[in-house]
Amino acid sequence: MADRPSSSPAPAIPSLGGRKPNFRERVVDVLRAGLIAGELRPGEVYSAPGLAPRLGVSVTPVREAMLELVKEGMVEIVPNKGFRVTAVSEKQLDEYTHVRSLIEIPTVVGLTATADPGDLEALRPAAQEIVTSAVKGDLIAYVEADLVFHLGLLALAGNDHLVEVVRDLRRRSRLYGLTALVAAGRLKSSAEEHLELLDALLARDEQAVREVMTRHLAHVRGLWAARQPADG
């Protein structure tokens, strides 16, 4: 949905409905997820007036949302044109994922001994939503549900700072391989790993939790990053 003519398909940004400025936070979430999933592409310039009709909100919350994303380094201002999506290097993405693995794997493995079963079960709807979104091919909903699940899981460790660090690293990630996985019908299988992880945690199976988490995070720089062929 870049504002200039393009041969590439328009980003699958959902209509939010409504025309009130208080939609700003929701607009931020949707646009951020669109950036992570690659629905908004690096180097493309998007304007608030161009995005607003697609989202079904007024220009003001879109402009405010884009300015928020400027602060996060996800887009940059292009005077008199709009906002350009910033590129993230492969080296940066590798570094973000490495840090995530150092934090998330041992933290989640530790939950096998400490997490309350009721708290784990409370995350099942989010895990199921990830699978549902994968089946539908709704990448923005997929990314949003994935964020809710993983941050909710990490929150069970009781370290708020750790959760915020991972939230920031996830925002910096880019998952440009998701579209190809949807087209190949392969996103559902990786989505189901969230349910597999919950079941392993509930079974207090430390080895299984470690294996699922290691495999799952490998997707961030593998399948989900288009580093492996979707049909391979």
Side-chain angles (χ1 to χ4, degrees):
M1 220 193 79
D3 298 324
R4 61 180 182 275
S6 172
S7 59
S8 60
I13 299 176
S15 174
L16 301 179
R19 297 278 169 182
K20 298 179 181 179
N22 61 6
F23 278 84
R24 184 182 69 83
E25 289 304 318
R26 179 62 182 139
V27 175
V28 171
D29 291 341
V30 168
L31 291 176
R32 186 187 294 115
L35 287 160
I36 293 170
E39 300 288 6
L40 299 173
R41 302 297 295 183
E44 294 284 351
V45 176
Y46 301 90
S47 71
L51 289 169
R54 187 63 181 264
L55 288 163
V57 299
S58 64
V59 171
T60 298
V62 178
R63 183 178 293 114
E64 291 175 347
M66 293 300 271
L67 289 172
E68 183 67 27
L69 294 173
V70 169
K71 295 178 184 178
E72 295 180 13
M74 301 187 81
V75 298
E76 58 188 10
I77 297 173
V78 180
N80 303 316
K81 291 185 178 181
F83 303 86
R84 178 183 291 112
V85 179
T86 56
V88 183
S89 72
E90 293 293 315
K91 181 176 185 293
Q92 287 174 308
L93 293 173
D94 285 340
E95 290 174 349
Y96 300 154
T97 306
H98 178 60
V99 175
R100 283 185 59 190
S101 68
L102 293 176
I103 295 173
E104 293 186 60
I105 294 174
T107 299
V108 175
V109 169
L111 293 176
T112 57
T114 63
D116 180 88
D119 291 337
L120 291 171
E121 281 294 348
L123 293 170
R124 194 171 294 278
Q128 189 57 58
E129 176 59 28
I130 297 169
V131 177
T132 300
S133 299
V135 173
K136 291 180 178 178
D138 187 341
L139 297 185
I140 288 181
Y142 180 95
V143 169
E144 290 191 303
D146 187 66
L147 179 69
V148 168
F149 176 85
H150 283 286
L151 295 188
L153 188 60
L154 292 172
L156 299 182
N159 187 327
D160 293 340
H161 183 66
L162 179 150
V163 173
E164 288 308 309
V165 169
V166 174
R167 185 195 303 275
D168 180 63
L169 290 169
R170 290 177 64 92
R171 286 175 176 174
R172 296 170 185 271
S173 297
R174 298 294 182 271
L175 305 173
Y176 297 149
L178 293 182
T179 301
L181 288 174
V182 169
R186 293 191 59 195
L187 187 57
K188 180 175 179 287
S189 62
S190 59
E192 289 173 339
E193 289 176 351
H194 299 84
L195 295 169
E196 182 183 356
L197 177 60
L198 272 185
D199 291 339
L201 283 164
L202 287 164
R204 306 297 190 190
D205 189 335
E206 182 176 313
Q207 182 176 346
V209 170
R210 185 181 301 278
E211 190 277 328
V212 175
M213 278 299 298
T214 301
R215 178 183 359 125
H216 193 68
L217 277 176
H219 296 329
V220 176
R221 299 302 296 133
L223 287 174
W224 297 347
R227 280 189 166 180
Q228 298 174 31
D231 57 354

